[in-house]
Amino acid sequence: MSPNATATLRAVAVAVVLLSAGCLGTPGVDTPDAGPATTESPATVTPTESPATPTEPTTAPTTTVGTIPDDCTPARPEGVDPVRDDVSPVAYPDAPAELTAEAAGEWAETFEEAYLRNDNLARDTVSFGASAGVENVTRVDGGYVVRVRASWYSNTGDVRTGTASPTVVHADSPVYLSTYLVTDAGARRASTTGGANDHPNVRDGTVVACF
């Protein structure tokens, strides 16, 4: 065989070896089949419900305002009957015909005026006036708490001398801040003066009416 033919055969053999290596890949190593890329769905988050906010009771417990005892006995001033015929104590109001917020407020207002009059009349009182106004009414278990602001004035004179024109002394009271508990069974009163800004707790008051 000629030298040229021998060189040609060697070149063909090398080409065949190279082609075989490229088709078969690297021996002993598997080439994975790459499939289409997958996207994971995000986890679904279920929101948790917030606990319900407790609602405030519409009425206050009687432990915060007191009660009217079964053996109810009122403690209230009945008043001194002055010498002047046109100045006299007044009767306290009867129980409300129907216990409503409006009726409780009107009752406490009238009672406060009567209480202040009967508590401050003197034998030589020439004239007297009391004025009360309801500030607010709150529903509680079994009744209503009524807050009242009141005051009074008084004119007194030495009528014992029998003179036609006695010397008259005028007096104005401080402001009374009174709190009432009005129920179907009776009423309780707590009061303060002297520039206090807050009404007293009626739980610490006195039973002033029994129905």
Side-chain angles (χ1 to χ4, degrees), residues 59-72:
T59 59
T62 54
T63 54
T64 64
V65 295
T67 58
I68 306 301
D70 294 335
D71 56 342
C72 180

Side-chain angles (χ1 to χ4, degrees), residues 97-159:
E98 180 182 359
L99 189 58
T100 64
E102 182 178 2
E106 292 177 354
W107 185 92
E109 182 178 273
T110 303
F111 189 96
E112 181 72 3
E113 292 178 354
Y115 188 102
L116 294 181
R117 181 182 184 88
N118 295 345
D119 193 36
N120 292 282
L121 286 179
R123 289 284 295 168
D124 55 354
T125 299
V126 175
S127 60
F128 187 94
S131 177
V134 175
E135 293 200 336
N136 57 69
V137 180
T138 304
R139 181 76 170 92
V140 296
D141 288 340
Y144 295 90
V145 168
V146 185
R147 293 176 175 84
V148 177
R149 182 182 294 265
S151 62
W152 57 264
Y153 74 88
S154 175
N155 292 312
T156 59
D158 189 6
V159 296

Side-chain angles (χ1 to χ4, degrees), residues 58 110 210:
T58 56
T110 303
C210 302

